[in-house]
Amino acid sequence: MSYYLNGKRDFAVFRHGTCVLLEDGLSDDDATAFALKALSDIIHFHPDMSPSPMDDGNILVRYNHPAANVVLDDVAEAHWAEIEAKHLQGLTPSEVIITPEGPNKFDRLGKQALLGRAYMFIDAQAPKIVRIVRHR
């Protein structure tokens, strides 16, 4: 995440890799409170996501609040058969996502985005911050 932020932002890292971008100068307690609220806001509003392929081959999945997940290309490749078979389990009940391929039809990028979002859901259901990263 530091690479994608050019080392210029603080962020909190949850147990399953979800990262919440923080404002500069927050104490650890304030950073924790902000990160927990941001994750709660995502799942209690609508878990919109915006996946972007990055220059290193990974996928950055952003949300409608200052949070993101990085889906590592080598991890996705190592588990591709399972991702391919189970990606639709990453949808919420009755959710329909319209893609260029059609409703709930996903290309490789979309399947990886659903994986990243699934980690965000796991983090949101049992939030545990494992690290606060401070910018350079």
Side-chain angles (χ1 to χ4, degrees):
M1 185 59 75
S2 290
Y3 173 74
Y4 304 127
L5 298 170
N6 295 317
K8 295 180 180 178
R9 293 287 302 270
D10 293 353
F11 58 95
V13 182
F14 286 83
R15 180 181 356 193
H16 298 285
T18 305
C19 297
V20 172
L21 282 59
L22 304 169
E23 297 174 14
D24 284 345
L26 293 178
S27 68
D28 286 356
D29 287 343
D30 289 343
T32 297
F34 180 87
L36 291 169
K37 182 178 182 325
L39 202 54
S40 176
D41 287 348
I42 292 168
I43 64 165
H44 288 102
F45 176 65
H46 191 278
D48 291 335
M49 65 177 168
S50 178
S52 301
M54 305 308 286
D55 63 4
D56 58 2
N58 299 326
I59 305 297
L60 182 65
V61 182
R62 295 181 187 112
Y63 305 99
N64 53 353
H65 293 281
N69 287 83
V70 177
V71 179
L72 302 172
D73 184 59
D74 58 341
V75 172
E77 189 62 38
H79 300 280
W80 189 250
E82 185 175 8
I83 293 167
E84 186 83 65
K86 297 182 178 181
H87 68 277
L88 291 176
Q89 292 177 14
L91 297 171
T92 61
S94 303
E95 181 178 26
V96 177
I97 297 176
I98 307 299
T99 72
E101 288 77 27
N104 290 346
K105 300 208 182 291
F106 300 94
D107 60 9
R108 185 178 183 89
L109 173 67
K111 291 172 187 174
Q112 288 177 308
L114 286 171
L115 174 64
R117 193 176 75 155
Y119 284 119
M120 182 275 300
F121 281 129
I122 293 168
D123 278 331
Q125 291 174 1
K128 179 174 177 17
I129 295 172
V130 296
R131 185 173 174 207
I132 296 174
V133 177
R134 301 298 182 172
H135 70 284
R136 296 181 202 140

